[in-house]
Amino acid sequence: MDCLFCKIVAGEIPARKFYEDDQVIAFHDIGAQAPVHFLVIPKKHIATLNDLDEGDQALAGLLLLTAQRLANQQGCDDGFRLVMNCKALGGQTVYHVHMHVLGQRQMTWPPG
Ligand code: 5GP
Ligand code: ZN
C-alpha cells in the first residue's frame, strides 16, 4: 500500500520512533511546530477519522491514552495540545489516522 505512515510502521522509511506496542507507534514529526511535536498512529491502516467504526473504539481510546502518557513523559506536564485533522478542509495531508501531540510552548486559540 502506498501510504507513508504504513511505511514508517513497517520500518521501510526511517522515523524518530520512540514508542511502540502491538497496536500503536509514536514518532517525532518531521516538521515540528513546537519544541515537542510527535504523532501517535495506529499500526493498522485507517485513512481518516471518518473511516473509524465501532470496532475501533478501543484503538481510538488507546491513541488518546498513549498521547497523554507520552506527552507527560516528554515533559509536557504543564499542558499540551492534541490535534487530529480530518480530510482536506481539516488540513489532513497524510491519509493514515494520526494524533498530533504538541507541547513545551504556549498554545493559542483559535488555531489558524
Ligand atoms: P496532517 O497535516 O496530515 O495532520 O499531518 C501530517 C504530519 O506528518 C505533518 O505534521 C508532517 O510534518 C508530518 N510528516 C509528513 N511526512 C513525514 C515523514 O516522512 N516523517 C515524519 N516523521 N513526519 C512526517
Ligand atoms: Zn497507512
Side-chain angles (χ1 to χ4, degrees):
M1 187 186 299
D2 194 25
C3 167
L4 178 64
F5 286 176
C6 280
K7 287 179 181 162
I8 287 177
V9 169
E12 291 164 18
I13 288 178
R16 291 171 58 215
K17 184 172 79 179
F18 64 95
Y19 177 77
E20 175 169 16
D21 64 25
D22 57 331
Q23 293 184 79
V24 305
I25 67 168
F27 54 95
H28 297 283
D29 195 297
I30 206 169
Q33 300 297 313
V36 170
H37 185 179
F38 62 88
L39 305 174
V40 184
I41 77 168
K43 286 186 169 178
K44 164 178 141 176
H45 181 81
I46 303 170
T48 80
L49 279 178
N50 281 349
D51 299 303
L52 285 172
D53 60 34
E54 268 129 50
D56 297 312
Q57 196 167 329
L59 180 60
L62 182 64
L63 288 175
L64 184 63
L65 286 175
T66 303
Q68 175 237 56
R69 192 178 74 256
L70 296 178
N72 282 282
Q73 283 175 12
Q74 300 274 323
C76 298
D77 37 309
D78 285 334
F80 55 88
R81 176 170 289 176
L82 303 182
V83 175
M84 295 184 85
N85 299 324
C86 182
K87 300 181 69 179
L89 279 185
Q92 186 175 6
T93 58
V94 177
Y95 278 66
H96 179 130
V97 161
H98 50 280
M99 185 175 282
H100 295 260
V101 183
L102 299 128
Q104 301 277 30
R105 72 164 165 81
Q106 181 62 56
M107 297 297 155
T108 57
W109 193 262

